[in-house]
Amino acid sequence: MVIILKPRASEQEREHIIKVIKDAGLSPHVLLGEERTVIAVIGDERALQKQPLSALPGVEKAIPILSPYKLVSRDFKKENTVIDVRGIKIGGERIVVIAGPCSVETNHLLSSIAAEIKKGGASILRGGAFKPRSSPYSFQGLGEEGLEYLSEARRLTGLPIITEILDPRDLPMMAKHADILQIGARNMQNFRLLAEVGAQDKPVMLKRGLSATIKEFLLSAEYIMAAGNANVILCERGIRTFETATRNTLDLSAIPVLRKRTHLPIIIDPSHAVGQTDLVPPMAKAAIAAGADGLMIEVHSNPEEAFCDGEQAMLPKDFNQLMDELRKIAAAVGRTL
Amino acid sequence: MVIILKPRASEQEREHIIKVIKDAGLSPHVLLGEERTVIAVIGDERALQKQPLSALPGVEKAIPILSPYKLVSRDFKKENTVIDVRGIKIGGERIVVIAGPCSVETNHLLSSIAAEIKKGGASILRGGAFKPRSSPYSFQGLGEEGLEYLSEARRLTGLPIITEILDPRDLPMMAKHADILQIGARNMQNFRLLAEVGAQDKPVMLKRGLSATIKEFLLSAEYIMAAGNANVILCERGIRTFETATRNTLDLSAIPVLRKRTHLPIIIDPSHAVGQTDLVPPMAKAAIAAGADGLMIEVHSNPEEAFCDGEQAMLPKDFNQLMDELRKIAAAVGRTL
Amino acid sequence: MVIILKPRASEQEREHIIKVIKDAGLSPHVLLGEERTVIAVIGDERALQKQPLSALPGVEKAIPILSPYKLVSRDFKKENTVIDVRGIKIGGERIVVIAGPCSVETNHLLSSIAAEIKKGGASILRGGAFKPRSSPYSFQGLGEEGLEYLSEARRLTGLPIITEILDPRDLPMMAKHADILQIGARNMQNFRLLAEVGAQDKPVMLKRGLSATIKEFLLSAEYIMAAGNANVILCERGIRTFETATRNTLDLSAIPVLRKRTHLPIIIDPSHAVGQTDLVPPMAKAAIAAGADGLMIEVHSNPEEAFCDGEQAMLPKDFNQLMDELRKIAAAVGRTL
Amino acid sequence: MVIILKPRASEQEREHIIKVIKDAGLSPHVLLGEERTVIAVIGDERALQKQPLSALPGVEKAIPILSPYKLVSRDFKKENTVIDVRGIKIGGERIVVIAGPCSVETNHLLSSIAAEIKKGGASILRGGAFKPRSSPYSFQGLGEEGLEYLSEARRLTGLPIITEILDPRDLPMMAKHADILQIGARNMQNFRLLAEVGAQDKPVMLKRGLSATIKEFLLSAEYIMAAGNANVILCERGIRTFETATRNTLDLSAIPVLRKRTHLPIIIDPSHAVGQTDLVPPMAKAAIAAGADGLMIEVHSNPEEAFCDGEQAMLPKDFNQLMDELRKIAAAVGRTL
């Protein structure tokens, strides 16, 4: 940690800061500049995490040097984490495509979509049984019934299933059905939920919050890993900016940034990011070109009657055509799909 | 709702859209322009909320005219909501000041801070027993012990207490102690938690999410009211922008915007918004000048040893001086404090 | 245009609005809903551009239906614009790569970089002679001397040159040297400069402002076309968001959005967007996968001694390797490079 | 400056960095930590401004300690700058109100508005003769004719006038009429224009760019001062965020942040920030409560026929009433108006 003192910090304030650093078991090095005094702190600065130095009188700014996360970081684990879900490897050389409707609606519809995306080459089925909706008057999902339809679709197609968990109290019910638990963007900092999914052993896909920095995103993943679950998948799904031409702004540069900082697999959800069907294919291709380990794409056989987000769902036939195009991009970056 | 068709929408698509509108029990009015066709929908457009028209082929954009919230809106209830908490009125002519430490630390410290802020004129005590922290390695709060200290401080000072709830499972424990339940910014769209606090009868203070629009903020309040609890207090605490000179950007224009749209009381938390003690007083004054019904301010008698957010906590003596200045501003806008 | 009246707009206000619409030569259609009255305006709403209706008493919101730009729009010109610069076609099937240093430094250095990027397959040379810098104490460019070095590099390599213009007064000097004039992000709404480059005949590359919406970006391009110059190239170079892990956030979804709305060629500048050399290659690949017509990449043979932006400049050998990888992506999307 | 090395920076890289620092006449202090090496640089780091260290191999991050601006900073000049414009003092104890229409329209209208706002207590008249408009088809201002009307209004009322300059070539014409030159938000980083207004002696009001950080805002002011003109007035007018309920988000916390960092006067323009007349009064009051030195408010006697921004212009009678309310707030913070 580097501590920059205020221009007119007193000697007494300086001595007090030095004492606090020493009391934490760290070594302060004082550098008297012409205009400012800087104190460099040698040692594991995480010792200072509980009582931040920035509140000490005379301190202008305390700049941490080490990253605040540990288990998720590439310093901690050099090789990429590969997560095995019923034989599907997430984070390996092969790019994984998760597809399916926004919400589970009927048993028949879900199974037929599942069969179609499987034909197209998707390897995991998505579908929401519990839906977080901005309005209390929007469709909130079928609940447990939806989970049963997902299980049924898996039985018929063999595709593992991913579905969103909203509440720690749903965990036992979820555990009976889901292969991967999804934490949605709105719950990225629902720390209790993170701790709970961290304390069970199903893989967890964590979506980046709408206004979460990459540092905060990784700290939320750290919550899950710190609770004992090493199978965390990261998913970028668009951030909130001033631009309204797209629902959100897909931050593809998060891919190489995350790749440098963490060993965890990186999935991109272009459907939620752009919010319009015809913008999904170019962004899906771009995600793979930028190095994503997988994609999550909304597919619905009758988008206009979808209970949610119909305007961003692809038709199965368009999805299948996209898959063909994605295979070419995957090959161009030395991967398969 | 106004529906704008794509430039080259077919007649068949148009007829289909008209049919969907009629099937929902609404009346479509088609206006053929030179370049575009527009369909105006007469009737309660909330009938279309479950199946958004924007996914229909031929639709370029569907623009809602009515606000998506109802119970929180001023159309629904003209006069301001005033909430009574142990005799303290929130939303009335008198401006309410909530003060106290970020987190509850020791029994003695809390009670002494409570006594001091009471002397200064604060009418509600704040203090976190459960803290949502970005990092799993930061102090997470004392839990139930913290709630007991809060109760004890109330017993000694008579000040009602507000504290944050993170998890629906904590509700029974919370109900024993808190006078007002706080939903933090990170949980503004934790819809399960909103529904639960809506289903009990303690007043709820809902903080605006870091990147929540005012519409989304009001929709989250609608969740609480729709579940049965009419005592909702709104709290603006800074939004996330590109500016890094302050922790967040305090959006004071939210005050007049909310005032027009809703009957609910509006509280401003300048401490979390700016993140630095010396910026709190000017923003507290500005909030009252802009018409806020109250303030939430962090006060700690020893900020440098605070377990969290010490850099933004005011000393009791500075808080008391600020209160004197705020009284003048309150008088200048025709209110008391 | 669709005009939504306030809930309690008077009949007199409504009549006045109708009169204003008729006076502008347009036809108002009044739709009385249960809760709101809506007036749909048929005719070319651009007639109302000078005196916006939103200021009329009783109007809550006036929603334009037509896009405010015309010449740049795909409605106006269906086929893609292809711009020929000394035989290099921008906007055609072949993807164009513009490369070179941030600023022109010495004659020798520039020519040697030009020779290297030509070998790698770049087809246009970039280099700033006039540099817009945040600080008055940073290097501001060599000025006319820099332009002469650019001309010399073109003479030696045959590569056309692009360079930034900051001031309309520099136009005659620029015209002697540049093949393409660049308008930088900070000048995207320097409307006088836009009008001037629109009144001459060299092609213009317009960079998107840091916080410009796509609509504003296209309106700035419209300024140039409205002044008579149809050879406008659009360049996305990152927008400003809350994320600080990258210098800016590269908005690749702008590519398909612009493609739908405009016929103008679209170039991506990943170097300025990410601000770090090692993040440039993945974003360059993603840009091509998303459908960009070209790239602009900073290359410097000695980044650590570059007068500006050294941290984002690629070494020529790394650039050449990137070009090989880009060729594969181009082929995967059915284009050449 | 503090330089943080990459985790695996080589000894050779470290030695090279040390050499570069010494060559610049500064002293490096190397601190070997367990996980990272840090080099603290003692001396005036502005010596490193031309060749940033961040491009050196082995450097992860170079963190500047000193602010990059000098003349505008409070370190450079402790007491507030007070600017005298025809006897009106900007930056003193008395709060200054600038009012008038967005654009100059007719001679008669301008003079009558000027007379009205003078009666209300405004001390400076605003009015645009050259208007920067997003669309080339919007009203662009009357040009020199508008300047003459402004001069005439000054002759009649005695109010000094402020008007926007868009182009350095207009300077001689401007100099004949304006008392204060305004640089608009879109031109905040039009560095040529900044240098030109810095080289003449009329006071300059610089508006903050829509997405300019406070640091960039002050660097733009530094351009003007570095060119020789010390009479710079800063104006915050709203920043661009995700929120669409207001045109922009007025960043009032910029007032105390700027107050700490600079000696220059601070003006707030609530009209452009919020974009709706009824939101202007609360934000005007808040600005004064937060410590602004002045306000800039749009007033028009017939907003619905205003050529621009009619929806945010106040009627003279409403403006006069607001002035009465502002006087009370000014008194409450110990100032006059």
Side-chain angles (χ1 to χ4, degrees), chain A residues 295-314:
Chain A
L295 296 170
M296 185 174 214
I297 295 177
E298 287 198 16
V299 178
H300 197 291
S301 40
N302 189 4
E304 72 167 271
E305 296 196 352
F307 290 0
C308 79
D309 288 347
E311 64 276 28
Q312 73 199 26
M314 299 185 78

Side-chain angles (χ1 to χ4, degrees), chain D residues 88-106:
Chain D
I88 305 295
K89 303 240 181 332
I90 303 173
E93 175 272 340
R94 188 181 196 92
I95 290 161
V96 166
V97 178
I98 304 166
C102 177
S103 64
V104 177
E105 292 158 17
T106 71

Side-chain angles (χ1 to χ4, degrees), chain C residues 16 133 137 211 222-223 304, chain D residues 16 133 137 222-223 304:
Chain C
H16 179 58
R133 304 300 299 273
Y137 309 120
S211 64
E222 184 85 7
Y223 260 94
E304 71 166 273
Chain D
H16 179 58
R133 303 300 298 275
Y137 309 120
E222 183 86 8
Y223 260 93
E304 70 167 273

Side-chain angles (χ1 to χ4, degrees), chain C residues 101-127:
Chain C
C102 177
S103 65
V104 176
E105 292 160 15
T106 70
N107 198 355
H108 173 72
L109 188 66
L110 182 68
S111 291
S112 92
I113 295 173
E116 299 241 39
I117 60 161
K118 189 185 179 181
K119 228 187 303 165
S123 40
I124 299 175
L125 173 68
R126 62 153 290 158

Side-chain angles (χ1 to χ4, degrees), chain B:
Chain B
M1 180 164 287
V2 175
I3 295 154
I4 299 167
L5 301 198
K6 288 189 176 156
R8 277 167 291 278
S10 69
E11 215 189 296
Q12 193 187 346
E13 285 169 341
R14 203 175 65 211
E15 289 311 312
H16 179 58
I17 296 163
I18 290 170
K19 187 179 174 310
V20 171
I21 294 167
K22 285 184 177 163
D23 288 354
L26 305 172
S27 320
H29 289 247
V30 180
L31 299 153
L32 297 164
E34 271 166 70
E35 302 187 36
R36 289 294 168 94
T37 295
V38 166
I39 303 176
V41 180
I42 304 298
D44 187 346
E45 68 194 35
R46 282 178 270 255
L48 293 165
Q49 209 150 29
K50 282 212 177 163
Q51 269 180 47
L53 297 181
S54 46
L56 292 183
V59 172
E60 179 160 302
K61 220 160 125 180
I63 304 164
I65 290 170
L66 303 180
S67 60
Y69 40 82
K70 189 165 183 157
L71 306 173
V72 301
S73 98
R74 203 172 271 284
D75 289 343
F76 180 74
K77 177 164 177 282
K78 305 249 168 312
E79 66 283 5
N80 284 350
T81 287
V82 179
I83 298 171
D84 188 311
V85 182
R86 295 180 177 259
I88 305 294
K89 302 241 182 329
I90 302 174
E93 175 272 338
R94 188 181 196 89
I95 290 161
V96 166
V97 178
I98 304 167
C102 177
S103 65
V104 176
E105 291 159 16
T106 71
N107 198 357
H108 172 73
L109 187 67
L110 182 68
S111 290
S112 92
I113 295 172
E116 299 238 41
I117 60 160
K118 190 186 177 180
K119 230 185 305 164
S123 42
I124 299 175
L125 175 65
R126 61 152 290 157
F130 298 95
K131 298 299 306 171
R133 304 299 299 275
S134 304
S135 165
Y137 308 120
S138 297
F139 175 62
Q140 308 275 323
L142 293 180
E144 186 155 19
E145 194 184 346
L147 294 176
E148 277 154 15
Y149 297 169
L150 283 164
S151 282
E152 173 72 4
R154 176 179 50 211
R155 204 184 53 76
L156 293 171
T157 60
L159 294 176
I161 56 181
I162 178 170
T163 195
E164 180 167 355
I165 179 164
L166 295 181
D167 190 325
R169 295 171 298 182
D170 294 339
L171 205 45
M173 190 205 302
M174 283 282 166
K176 278 196 291 181
H177 298 282
D179 296 303
I180 306 174
L181 298 175
Q182 177 180 318
I183 302 284
R186 291 173 181 85
N187 278 315
M188 193 202 83
Q189 292 193 316
N190 182 339
F191 301 116
R192 288 293 185 89
L193 187 56
L194 298 180
E196 294 278 347
V197 299
Q200 54 86 54
D201 58 5
K202 302 247 170 162
V204 177
M205 186 171 88
L206 177 68
K207 289 193 142 187
R208 180 179 181 188
L210 244 76
S211 63
T213 60
I214 284 177
K215 193 172 88 175
E216 290 168 341
F217 188 21
L218 288 173
L219 277 167
S220 285
E222 183 86 7
Y223 260 94
I224 302 172
M225 287 193 73
N229 188 342
N231 292 321
V232 180
I233 303 155
L234 301 172
C235 179
E236 152 68 27
R237 41 77 75 214
I239 57 174
R240 182 158 274 179
T241 70
F242 62 83
E243 179 59 73
T244 55
T246 43
R247 180 194 271 194
N248 296 120
T249 298
L250 186 62
D251 177 13
L252 287 180
S253 50
I255 299 172
V257 171
L258 286 169
R259 190 68 80 207
K260 276 168 71 177
R261 299 195 188 176
T262 184
H263 51 84
L264 297 172
I266 304 159
I267 301 283
I268 299 294
D269 174 349
S271 306
H272 279 86
V274 298
Q276 299 163 53
T277 309
D278 56 353
L279 305 180
V280 173
M283 300 320 286
K285 291 183 213 170
I288 290 181
D293 296 310
L295 295 171
M296 186 175 215
I297 295 177
E298 287 199 15
V299 178
H300 197 291
S301 41
N302 189 4
E304 72 166 272
E305 295 195 353
F307 290 180
C308 78
D309 288 346
E311 64 277 27
Q312 74 198 26
M314 299 185 77
L315 288 169
K317 71 172 172 52
D318 296 332
F319 171 74
N320 292 354
Q321 190 192 315
L322 172 61
M323 289 295 282
D324 288 340
E325 294 170 19
L326 293 177
R327 274 181 203 101
K328 293 181 204 159
I329 307 279
V333 292
R335 298 179 79 165
T336 55
L337 176 144

